Amino acid sequence: MPAATHNSTVYEGGFSDPVGASQLVFRALMEAMARPGSVHALPEMTSPPAPLTASASALIATLADADTPVWLDPALTKTSVVRDWIVFHTGAPITAHQSEAVFAVVAAPQSLSALNGFSLGTQEFPDRSTSVILQVSTLSEGAQLTLEGPGIKDRASLAPEPMPQHFTEQWQANRQAFPRGIDLILAGHGCVAAMPRSTRLIRPEA
């Protein structure tokens, strides 16, 4: 019986309309990437196994395929069910090494201590970096982040929670590696925002 339950969980909960749903998710993500700090609706279209959320699962189901290794944080690999769900619905291989990942999904951002463990790309091929999907509980009630950069008129702000340890310092280092560097995708409840590597984080004034 446990095996049947596991199999049922793995096979179910994907897009009911894969083409239409993935197009909708992709448009929302592209708008978020084009306008860093802006929040875009992401209707609930998947029912993944916990602790993977509907928004994060919709994003990885849209982005990943057989040619894009995916890294999952320890919160998502306590059992095999999340890994198996992603493999079944995307065909993507799961890698144990952050530096090999094209995409990463992080269910516990507060435990992520090193963003530079992911691939930052190279000077010749900066696009060969990792896009990191962070599952966050809110985009408006955490510590405020003030953003500048391409796609932002004057300044924008987000307040995601939870976030990686020492995030301000880590993001400053990521920005200094430009054009190399990771891109962050923030998967909230029913919404998505993004911080591409070109985004500058403004330190709060004392």
Side-chain angles (χ1 to χ4, degrees):
M1 182 64 71
T5 301
H6 172 86
N7 289 341
S8 177
T9 301
V10 168
Y11 300 146
E12 297 175 354
F15 292 139
S16 59
D17 173 14
V19 173
S22 60
Q23 288 177 343
L24 190 154
V25 173
F26 190 74
R27 282 196 299 269
L29 176 58
M30 289 302 97
E31 290 175 2
M33 292 291 288
R35 293 189 286 140
S38 61
V39 178
H40 299 269
L42 204 61
E44 188 167 312
M45 294 177 286
T46 56
S47 299
L52 187 63
T53 63
S55 55
S57 64
L59 287 160
I60 199 64
T62 296
L63 295 170
D65 59 32
D67 296 320
T68 59
V70 174
W71 181 85
L72 305 175
D73 77 336
L76 293 172
T77 55
K78 288 181 179 178
T79 68
S80 64
V81 65
V82 171
R83 178 199 67 201
D84 293 346
W85 190 93
I86 290 174
V87 170
F88 177 77
H89 290 280
T90 69
I94 304 299
T95 179
H97 306 289
Q98 289 179 317
S99 61
E100 295 178 352
V102 175
F103 299 107
V105 186
V106 179
Q110 69 277 16
S111 299
L112 186 63
S113 59
L115 292 178
N116 63 5
F118 296 107
S119 173
L120 303 181
T122 66
Q123 290 297 121
E124 295 80 11
F125 301 101
D127 57 316
R128 294 181 180 175
S129 64
T130 307
S131 295
V132 182
I133 300 171
L134 300 183
Q135 292 187 175
V136 295
S137 58
T138 180
L139 288 168
S140 60
E141 298 178 6
Q144 181 170 300
L145 303 176
T146 302
L147 313 177
E148 288 185 343
I152 301 173
K153 183 179 180 180
D154 299 324
R155 291 183 175 182
S157 63
L158 276 176
E161 181 71 28
M163 289 294 280
Q165 301 173 32
H166 311 295
F167 178 69
T168 299
E169 291 76 12
Q170 289 206 67
W171 191 255
Q172 296 285 5
N174 186 68
R175 180 65 184 83
Q176 288 170 6
F178 189 84
R180 300 163 61 237
I182 67 163
D183 297 317
L184 277 186
I185 301 169
L186 305 173
H189 294 300
C191 58
V192 62
M195 291 178 61
R197 71 196 73 178
S198 59
T199 303
R200 297 185 294 275
L201 188 57
I202 306 303
R203 291 180 180 271
E205 297 179 0

